[in-house]
Amino acid sequence: MFSHFGDHGLGDSARIPIGHGKAIQEVDGMQAYIQDEGPISMIEIDRFIIADDFVYGFISEGNENYEGSYFVYDLVNNSVKTFEEENDYINILKTKNLDYNTDYKNFGYYYSQYWYGWRFWLLP
């Protein structure tokens, strides 16, 4: 059965635009990732926040390209920093005035927020 979420087992992907020509993508409702042709290779992400030209949160356990448990993706500079230690991660969020004490969301949450309403009816 086909659905507007694109998760019907046929290798379809869903995407959320995040600004600066970038997007977070997900394949078959399983693996959310950010991929770019520039200096960033694919980084698999779990729960995250999209705010103020940054995407930050938790790296997926199955991630092969980046070490660490936490990431901060700077959309303006197209750069990713990863962190093993939570204290280091929180310190960088504080220096960039990002909210570190918040409820991180998964891809499904942001997808439904973005594609809600009139955009839903434009999906194939």
Side-chain angles (χ1 to χ4, degrees):
M1 176 167 173
F2 292 94
S3 74
H4 71 277
F5 290 104
D7 102 26
H8 35 69
L10 299 175
D12 290 338
S13 64
R15 64 185 296 277
I16 308 165
I18 54 177
H20 299 276
K22 310 289 189 274
I24 297 175
Q25 301 177 38
E26 185 178 66
V27 177
D28 286 335
M30 302 278 297
Q31 175 188 34
Y33 62 92
I34 301 168
Q35 184 170 10
D36 192 43
E37 296 177 10
I40 297 173
S41 60
M42 187 171 87
I43 180 170
E44 295 179 37
I45 58 177
D46 187 15
R47 292 173 293 126
F48 53 93
I49 298 294
I50 303 170
D52 301 328
D53 293 327
F54 291 93
V55 178
Y56 59 97
F58 300 92
I59 295 175
S60 292
E61 290 181 15
N63 196 50
E64 298 175 359
N65 298 319
Y66 290 90
E67 297 290 327
S69 300
Y70 309 94
F71 76 96
V72 176
Y73 178 25
D74 184 336
L75 297 171
V76 174
N77 296 326
N78 195 30
S79 64
V80 172
K81 288 189 178 193
T82 59
F83 306 91
E84 270 298 324
E85 300 296 323
E86 185 177 21
N87 288 337
D88 296 336
Y89 171 68
I90 290 173
N91 287 337
I92 197 77
L93 294 181
K94 286 180 182 179
T95 62
K96 297 188 181 297
N97 293 321
L98 297 170
D99 188 8
Y100 60 90
N101 192 16
T102 188
D103 187 22
Y104 293 86
K105 306 291 185 185
N106 65 12
F107 181 88
Y109 171 82
Y110 287 107
Y111 187 84
S112 63
Q113 291 294 310
Y114 184 79
W115 293 109
Y116 179 75
W118 67 270
R119 287 186 178 112
F120 170 81
W121 299 106
L122 298 176
L123 290 172

